Amino acid sequence: MTRLIDLRLGLFLAALFAVTVLAPLATTLPSTSALNLPSYLIPLMGKYLCYALLAVALDLCWGYAGILSLGHGAFFALGGYAMGMHLMREIGARGVYANPELPDFMVFLGWTELPWFWYGFDMFWFAAVMALAVPGLLAFVFGWFAFRSRVSGVYLSIITQALTFALLLAFFRNDMGFGGNNGLTDFRDVLGFSLSAPSTRIALFVLTAVALAGCMLLARAITISKAGKVLVAVRDAESRTRFLGYRVESYSVFVFTVSAMMAGLAGALYVPQVGIINPGEFAPANSIEIVVWVALGGRGTLVGAAIGALVVVALKSWLTATFPDLWLFALGGLFILVTLALPNGLLGLVDRLKPRKAKPATEVPA
Amino acid sequence: MPFRPLTLIAALCLAVVLPFLASAQTLDALIARLPDGNFNDRAAIVAQIAETGDPRAAQVLDALLEGELEQRTADGRFVRVTGSRNNQTAVDVLTGEDLGPVARRSTEAVRVNNALRRSIRTALGVLTLMDPDPARRLAAAEAALRSPSADQVDALAEAMAAETNANIRTAQTRAHAAAVLASDLPVEQKLDAVAVIGAANAQIVQQTLNAYRNAAEPELAAAVGEALAAAEARQRLWSQAQNLWFGLSLGSVLLLAAIGLAITFGVMGVINLAHGELVMLGAYTTYTVQQIIRTNAPEYFGYSLAIAIPLAFLLVGAVGVLIERGIVRHLYGRPLETLLGTWGVSLILQQAVRSIYGPTNREVGTPDWMSGAWQIGEMTLTGPRIAIVIFSLVVFFGLLLLMKYSAFGLQMRAVTQNRPMAANLGIRTGYVDALTFGLGAGIAGLAGVALSQIDNVSPNLGQGYIIDSFLVVVFGGVGNLWGTFAAALSLGVANKFLEPWAGAVLGKIVILVFIILFIQKRPRGLFPQRGRAAEG
Amino acid sequence: MTPGLIGAPLNVAQLYLDGVCRSFDGFKAINGLSLAVEKGELRAVIGPNGAGKTTMMDIITGKTRPDEGKVVWNGDTDLTRIDEAGVARLGIGRKFQKPTVFETHSVEDNIRLALKAPRGVFPVLFDRRSAEENRRVTEYLDRIRLTHLRAETAANLSHGQKQWLEIGMLLAQEPQLLLVDEPAAGMTDAETMETAELLKSIAGERTVIVVEHDMDFVRALNCRVTVLHQGSVLAEGSLDHVSAREDVIEVYLGR
């Protein structure tokens, strides 16, 4: 019987719990203390956790079902936009143009009415539902068409990339009504709490950690269920699965949709902590970068994906600040290193170093 | 300023003698009379100056028109004074001698008023219409067409009669017709003029005839209305042709960018995400070649592309071979890993170029023989675009022949169809793989040379083409060069026909969505590879 | 997808192929093939390479759509309009020529995934392992003699063991009809004979169609034989009967 929380997941969740408790405490220490954590680092850590959640989402569909989406950034961004739209509405009359109804950029464009698709976003619960529903629905419709036509492998990767590219172009347009080039920003508060208040920041950070833990448990529950075994079966021998009577497309659509909703959740948590969402999040390069997080950590491990995201993003923060020219060399080299030398990622490496763990979670053929 | 007694004496003599030689009417004499008399007298002199046929007449009149013709009080020389109030320099209008800086009060302007300016313009028009330099004659005729004036009817008629160059004469005939329309000549002549203008391209018809839409003479107004309507219809038709041309030109760009992928992806099944960067390397090769030529042997600039083409093919092809041997080779049969590995390569290449050449756009020149534009009916074909269309066709058919008839092409197809069998037949499959990948990369390099002529050469150049190229290959049907050909051209044309209707960005989105839906309907593209093997 | 209904009841045959044609790029892989198999029958289909055996299987299981003709199941369902999963759910199981099992799953999980049970996403997602399920898994493992390898990853099995595992998965599906493609390929003589015995024991209760090259194996099956040639039926009858026919000999030995 496979346990929901195995050693690896347990260790990761424990570490996550420790950080979630200790980091906010550390910000309350006097600034002279060596253990003091400047409070501006809290949203940064929250951002990292959002990326980890995004990586877990991608690992669920790539690592377990073999669906390499090169468009997961799109689901992330859509979730982000849904939350961003709510935060824009919350600004209310405090904007530059002091229009109680319209966000600044609409006033600037000379619009007089709120477009219909902005209705309802003044309510938090609606935005929260939309942050999951919009990516979920897009993934469902897209997946339903794609998987039913048996588009798979690299073809699927290419059209998911085309999808995010099309969205990138669309969101750049001013007349789409999402703030065009500049996106949505200048947020003030959420549910009445100021976004710049340390307490709000801590709350958002804790919420993100809870969401990450929850999604990892959910993803783990799915993968160890019989349906999870069907997904791996699809990845390994698709036609065998079909001849056993499983409708592969239903399983693929299911996992793709769940994964997209997780990505949307990550985006929705990301926006209030970062303070901006713009069309750049749809850039195909972003989506491909998510893949390297998962590949580096070890695909098909969930914990590895989260660790991979944290490692790469931390590396990026450090390199872009100290040696900006080196960042792309490092990222490119990482891609090559992982594909050539670490097919099972960092966790695979750990498993190899500890031979007593004879059975790696997955031995992944392409 | 050096004092030149001889010049002074000569000038003085002339000033004294010339007024009495009215019959001689040399330019020097006429110009000396300019400061005297009223504006009407000056107008008469201007006309006489134009009639002298003196090659210097044009510059004298031009200076006068601009209000820069002044007479030096010290010696009476006529100079053209330019520059700001406190920093004026003078040039002798008759000798062209540079007289250097002059003090503000040392010269006196020959004044002009609006009526006189009109006369000068007419006179100048006549002068340049007859200029010995054909380019200037053409420019004068075109200028006369742009701002037709009744005064020029006779001058244009005269110029037409004397003209030997057919092109210039056509321009003069149209300018003459326009001038006739502006004059108060009888309506019959004007109707002929409308007919002449109506035969010109739509833009000229509109700019010339629009003013006479409501002419007093009903028959003239009717003729103008008809000519305008005909021009508009013609323009609508031609704009379709122009769209088609733009579409074909975009399609050839897509073809060039995609064709290398059609080999690496279509034939070898390798997803090379660094393809765009290989294109970019081709463009930078062109830039580097041009830089070297510019600094060392600028006279050979016209050959820069001829050097860049083979060089880009070989250099980028070599980079391709390196990528294949270093990375792709280890990942055959694992397409998703290949995709990630080559993406890594693409990031490294991008950053390498950014570090070496800087992040900004680099200027790649177009050799003279390729620049320029041709007018066919109502549409304009620019040199670089024509060159790219031709170049992409040459590359495509060259590749087709190579695949079909060369020993290498045969081996390549053998390896891709049945690798173990090919190996058993003694084909060195590793060698063929490397060369095939190198060929795809080399063609990407060629695409880069071509793109450098129409796009900004920056480290991000490749990113703009990679998604499009993949869609072209997938849309056309993987493994089918003709499919790539059809897909590139049809997507290019579709894009350009959507643009006026939906705008550039929305048009592009429509195309993307269409392809996404199309691939879901027909996952194997327009021209799928058939056979039982393909069903597996 | 609703099964297509067909007018005339054909109670005799469980599976009835009627004038099926399918060509690939002008090559007629199946050309007017008609074949009837009765319920509980054991049938061997033989024929040289390219005779259309695998394509026939593909058409029955919904992998390939025929250009013409019908495939009637139990007298009332046209299989040509149903996809692979739908055909499988109707009770038709298929074993591939090359053993295909889920390599990263354990032997036990392979059987578990094959067990007859609801196949929809949500029932499967919330499926809880029951004692009854374990009992059935054990039963099939016993039958294919892999009980001792229950927890082993399928990738670590030998070729023959994989063949057996796949047959076990087929049995676990509890199909009415088993389509078995060259089960003896890569097996030792002893294993081959064991497989023949197993298939014979299944027949009667279920219908079995075996596609095979190995004449010894076909002889061991001791059943009605259909000879395919160029996409249609050349001969049908007992092995002795068909192997005595000159056209069959010519087809087999003539090239």
Side-chain angles (χ1 to χ4, degrees):
Chain A
M1 184 79 193
T2 326
R3 300 217 324 263
L4 179 62
I5 300 182
D6 63 356
L7 178 67
R8 270 199 311 228
L9 185 57
L11 283 176
F12 183 84
L13 291 179
L16 181 64
F17 180 76
V19 170
T20 313
V21 171
L22 294 179
L25 284 180
T27 59
T28 62
L29 293 173
S31 56
T32 48
S33 160
L35 293 173
N36 170 270
L37 188 72
S39 75
Y40 68 84
L41 282 180
I42 291 287
L44 189 69
M45 292 168 67
K47 183 173 107 172
Y48 287 9
L49 294 187
C50 289
Y51 287 141
L53 176 50
L54 180 55
V56 169
L58 182 68
D59 192 25
L60 181 60
C61 78
W62 181 37
Y64 291 91
I67 304 167
L68 177 51
S69 162
L70 294 183
H72 252 52
F75 302 125
F76 178 80
L78 285 173
Y81 265 96
M83 188 47 68
M85 285 162 80
H86 170 68
L87 298 177
M88 285 308 266
R89 297 295 309 269
E90 277 234 6
I91 298 172
R94 285 168 295 172
V96 178
Y97 296 103
N99 187 316
E101 181 85 351
L102 297 185
D104 277 346
F105 74 88
M106 292 189 193
V107 183
F108 181 75
L109 290 174
W111 294 12
T112 52
E113 255 181 76
L114 202 64
W116 61 268
F117 47 82
W118 276 72
Y119 293 165
F121 279 94
D122 47 335
M123 292 169 284
F124 178 82
W125 67 266
F126 183 82
V129 169
M130 282 297 147
L132 298 180
V134 171
L137 191 68
L138 177 66
F140 180 81
V141 172
F142 184 88
W144 192 73
F145 278 114
F147 298 125
R148 207 183 44 136
S149 321
R150 309 211 175 158
V151 178
S152 61
V154 294
Y155 290 88
L156 190 85
S157 304
I158 290 171
I159 63 170
T160 50
Q161 192 165 38
L163 174 77
T164 191
F165 187 53
L167 285 167
L168 170 76
L169 293 175
F171 274 73
F172 262 122
R173 288 165 56 89
N174 274 328
D175 48 5
M176 272 289 283
F178 296 108
N181 207 353
N182 298 322
L184 309 175
T185 187
D186 296 331
F187 310 132
R188 298 293 178 99
D189 44 30
V190 60
L191 292 171
F193 301 104
S194 167
L195 283 171
S196 50
S199 57
T200 318
R201 290 174 164 187
I202 288 172
L204 283 168
F205 168 68
V206 171
L207 200 63
T208 310
V210 170
L212 174 60
C215 284
M216 288 181 83
L217 287 173
L218 175 67
R220 171 84 181 153
I222 290 175
T223 56
I224 62 170
S225 76
K226 191 173 169 191
K229 294 198 155 66
V230 173
L231 287 173
V232 173
V234 171
R235 189 191 68 192
D236 292 350
E238 179 174 330
S239 54
R240 174 79 274 165
T241 324
R242 286 186 196 279
F243 287 121
L244 284 181
Y246 293 99
R247 262 211 180 96
V248 167
E249 49 272 28
S250 312
Y251 286 82
S252 302
V253 169
F254 167 74
V255 75
F256 193 56
T257 306
V258 170
S259 166
M261 288 167 78
M262 280 187 191
L265 176 62
L269 289 164
Y270 171 86
V271 168
Q273 303 189 67
V274 176
I276 184 169
I277 177 83
N278 64 30
E281 298 291 340
F282 285 104
N286 282 17
S287 292
I288 299 179
E289 206 180 307
I290 307 169
V291 176
V292 87
W293 301 342
V294 178
L296 177 73
R299 56 185 277 214
T301 59
L302 298 178
V303 172
I307 293 175
L310 296 175
V311 168
V312 178
V313 175
L315 186 69
K316 181 179 187 171
S317 292
W318 176 64
L319 274 184
T320 47
T322 45
F323 310 100
D325 284 354
L326 284 184
W327 163 238
L328 280 185
F329 285 128
L331 187 63
L334 207 56
F335 268 101
I336 296 170
L337 175 82
V338 167
T339 48
L340 288 184
L342 290 176
N344 292 317
L346 290 175
L347 284 198
L349 195 66
V350 172
D351 284 337
R352 232 188 303 168
L353 296 179
K354 284 194 296 182
R356 66 194 166 82
K357 279 193 107 125
K359 258 201 305 181
T362 40
E363 197 73 49
V364 186
Chain B
M1 194 186 305
F3 180 67
R4 295 207 178 110
L6 275 179
T7 324
L8 176 64
I9 292 165
L12 281 174
C13 291
L14 281 173
V16 175
V17 173
L18 283 179
F20 304 102
L21 295 173
S23 57
Q25 300 297 344
T26 63
L27 177 63
D28 305 65
L30 288 165
I31 196 172
R33 284 165 54 202
L34 266 178
D36 317 322
N38 60 19
F39 287 122
N40 283 341
D41 298 337
R42 286 187 197 161
I45 297 171
V46 162
Q48 286 173 322
I49 288 179
E51 280 162 21
T52 55
D54 193 302
R56 297 167 302 172
Q59 43 188 340
V60 170
L61 291 182
D62 193 49
L64 184 60
L65 180 66
E66 300 297 327
E68 291 170 354
L69 186 68
E70 306 199 1
Q71 188 173 25
R72 201 148 76 173
T73 36
D75 55 7
R77 281 172 81 167
F78 284 90
V79 293
R80 183 172 196 157
V81 179
T82 50
S84 59
R85 278 172 69 88
N86 298 321
N87 183 22
Q88 293 183 321
T89 55
V91 175
D92 189 309
V93 283
L94 294 175
T95 61
E97 184 189 352
D98 192 345
L99 301 176
V102 289
R104 194 136 55 90
R105 292 272 161 74
S106 66
T107 58
E108 196 169 328
V110 181
R111 303 206 176 279
V112 285
N113 67 355
N114 275 339
L116 183 55
R117 280 198 194 96
R118 251 195 311 279
S119 314
I120 299 169
R121 261 191 221 107
T122 312
L124 259 178
V126 175
L127 263 183
T128 42
L129 279 171
M130 308 285 277
D131 198 284
D133 177 5
R136 294 186 64 181
R137 286 207 302 281
L138 184 63
E142 281 168 352
L145 176 61
R146 269 197 300 279
S147 45
S149 142
D151 308 341
Q152 290 183 324
V153 174
D154 294 336
L156 280 162
E158 201 180 316
M160 271 158 62
E163 185 57 62
T164 50
N165 179 315
N167 267 343
I168 301 177
R169 185 145 74 210
T170 310
Q172 289 169 341
T173 315
R174 286 174 185 163
H176 178 252
V180 167
L181 282 169
S183 71
D184 42 14
L185 286 164
V187 75
E188 290 75 31
Q189 282 198 39
K190 288 192 178 180
L191 286 176
D192 290 344
V194 170
V196 169
I197 301 285
N201 74 42
Q203 203 195 342
I204 293 178
V205 177
Q206 275 159 359
Q207 93 195 11
T208 315
L209 293 187
N210 242 336
Y212 307 104
R213 198 184 275 279
N214 300 314
E217 304 90 331
E219 63 265 57
L220 181 60
V224 165
E226 267 171 46
L228 281 171
E232 202 175 312
R234 208 147 25 104
Q235 194 171 31
R236 225 175 296 128
L237 197 68
W238 278 103
S239 80
Q240 299 297 314
Q242 178 89 62
N243 269 342
L244 187 67
W245 166 251
F246 283 150
L248 287 179
S249 136
L250 176 63
S252 350
V253 170
L254 288 177
L255 178 63
L256 269 177
I259 197 170
L261 265 192
I263 296 176
T264 46
F265 181 38
V267 178
M268 304 174 78
V270 169
I271 312 290
N272 179 14
L273 279 187
H275 185 77
E277 277 59 43
L278 295 175
V279 172
M280 183 259 295
L281 286 186
Y284 273 94
T285 307
T286 317
Y287 168 75
T288 312
V289 166
Q290 289 197 347
Q291 281 306 101
I292 293 172
I293 291 183
R294 272 207 186 102
T295 48
N296 295 318
E299 64 273 25
Y300 293 114
F301 192 74
Y303 298 99
S304 60
L305 291 188
I307 299 169
I309 285 173
L311 199 62
F313 181 81
L314 292 176
L315 271 179
V316 181
V319 172
V321 171
L322 282 180
I323 295 175
E324 200 277 341
R325 287 289 92 182
I327 297 166
V328 173
R329 174 163 67 112
H330 306 289
L331 300 172
Y332 282 121
R334 293 157 64 195
L336 297 180
E337 270 83 349
T338 320
L339 189 150
L340 297 181
T342 51
W343 176 255
V345 173
S346 93
L347 294 180
I348 291 176
L349 289 178
Q350 255 183 59
Q351 186 58 44
V353 167
R354 197 172 286 131
S355 301
I356 297 171
Y357 290 92
T360 51
N361 290 343
R362 291 287 152 181
E363 175 77 28
V364 170
T366 304
D368 287 338
W369 56 268
M370 241 175 73
S371 53
W374 286 262
Q375 190 80 25
I376 297 183
E378 305 288 326
M379 65 182 202
T380 316
L381 311 182
T382 54
R385 294 266 168 192
I386 297 176
I388 285 185
V389 171
I390 295 172
F391 184 63
S392 67
L393 292 179
V394 169
V395 170
F396 175 77
F397 286 103
L399 182 67
L400 217 56
L401 292 179
L402 180 79
M403 294 285 276
K404 203 157 181 154
Y405 295 110
S406 74
F408 171 61
L410 186 69
Q411 292 191 349
M412 189 154 79
R413 282 179 294 141
V415 169
T416 53
Q417 279 168 23
N418 192 333
R419 177 172 299 269
M421 179 65 88
N424 286 342
L425 289 174
I427 297 174
R428 287 150 69 197
T429 57
Y431 183 73
V432 172
D433 284 336
L435 281 187
T436 309
F437 200 89
L439 176 66
I443 291 174
L446 293 182
V449 178
L451 288 180
S452 73
Q453 294 298 308
I454 55 164
D455 203 341
N456 295 327
V457 176
S458 78
N460 300 327
L461 173 75
Q463 293 296 302
Y465 291 94
I466 184 75
I467 292 181
D468 287 344
S469 315
F470 267 109
L471 290 180
V472 164
V473 176
V474 172
F475 180 55
V478 172
N480 186 331
L481 285 180
W482 279 106
T484 307
F485 182 78
L489 294 188
S490 55
L491 287 182
V493 171
N495 210 332
K496 285 297 169 188
F497 273 89
L498 276 174
E499 249 174 41
W501 172 73
V505 177
L506 203 57
K508 178 130 195 158
I509 296 172
V510 169
I511 297 265
L512 284 173
V513 171
F514 165 76
I515 294 179
I516 290 172
L517 293 177
F518 180 88
I519 290 173
Q520 302 192 335
K521 192 77 201 150
R522 294 185 58 177
R524 288 175 198 287
L526 276 179
F527 300 99
Q529 273 185 321
R530 293 216 190 82
R532 198 163 65 160
E535 292 247 331
Chain C
M1 198 179 287
T2 51
L5 294 176
I6 296 205
L10 280 154
N11 292 330
V12 217
Q14 182 175 42
L15 180 72
Y16 175 47
L17 277 74
D18 182 14
V20 174
C21 295
R22 169 73 203 211
S23 53
F24 296 104
D25 255 352
F27 166 70
K28 289 196 167 169
I30 296 285
N31 188 9
L33 174 66
S34 294
L35 180 75
V37 180
E38 281 169 40
K39 197 170 168 67
E41 193 183 339
L42 172 61
R43 172 75 61 96
V45 176
I46 62 173
N49 273 333
K53 301 176 305 255
T54 303
T55 308
M56 180 191 81
M57 292 255 208
D58 284 348
I59 288 174
I60 295 171
T61 53
K63 189 179 177 201
T64 301
R65 300 254 171 271
D67 303 325
E68 280 176 49
K70 284 175 193 156
V71 179
V72 184
W73 173 246
N74 281 337
D76 58 5
T77 309
D78 186 354
L79 295 182
T80 60
R81 303 192 198 166
I82 306 175
D83 68 349
E84 297 101 309
V87 169
R89 289 181 195 187
L90 281 173
I92 297 175
R94 176 175 184 179
K95 196 205 145 307
F96 294 102
Q97 189 171 332
K98 183 170 166 251
T100 314
V101 295
F102 304 127
E103 306 255 335
T104 53
H105 282 317
S106 66
V107 170
E108 178 184 356
D109 279 344
N110 268 279
I111 297 288
R112 242 187 108 211
L113 285 175
L115 278 184
K116 189 180 167 90
R119 297 293 201 229
V121 176
F122 291 100
V124 173
L125 185 63
F126 296 113
D127 177 83
R128 306 287 299 180
R129 188 182 308 200
S130 63
E132 162 65 12
E133 204 179 82
N134 279 337
R135 193 192 56 73
R136 282 165 67 199
V137 169
T138 313
E139 179 193 320
Y140 289 112
L141 286 176
D142 286 345
R143 196 150 174 195
I144 55 173
R145 293 169 207 175
L146 291 176
T147 320
H148 59 294
L149 295 171
R150 189 175 185 133
E152 189 62 60
T153 304
N156 299 338
L157 298 185
S158 73
H159 184 84
Q161 285 169 328
K162 283 181 189 170
Q163 293 275 33
W164 280 97
L165 177 56
E166 199 181 3
I167 291 172
M169 289 164 74
L170 206 57
L171 294 175
Q173 270 181 277
E174 297 178 30
Q176 296 178 49
L177 168 66
L178 286 80
L179 296 167
V180 188
D181 201 349
E182 299 199 18
M187 282 191 179
T188 62
D189 285 351
E191 280 173 336
T192 305
M193 287 309 132
E194 263 180 73
T195 309
E197 286 311 311
L198 177 71
L199 291 176
K200 273 158 77 178
S201 75
I202 297 166
E205 184 190 350
R206 310 179 195 286
T207 314
V208 181
I209 299 178
V210 183
V211 164
E212 192 46 82
H213 259 326
D214 184 339
M215 279 304 152
D216 291 335
F217 182 71
V218 174
R219 192 167 295 283
L221 288 177
N222 188 23
C223 66
R224 199 173 167 83
V225 173
T226 300
V227 185
L228 287 194
H229 177 54
Q230 292 180 351
S232 49
V233 175
L234 181 68
E236 203 167 283
S238 69
L239 183 61
D240 292 333
H241 169 74
V242 297
S243 54
R245 281 178 55 161
E246 279 200 8
D247 47 359
V248 174
I249 296 170
E250 192 182 326
V251 162
Y252 260 89
L253 306 176
R255 26 176 145 175

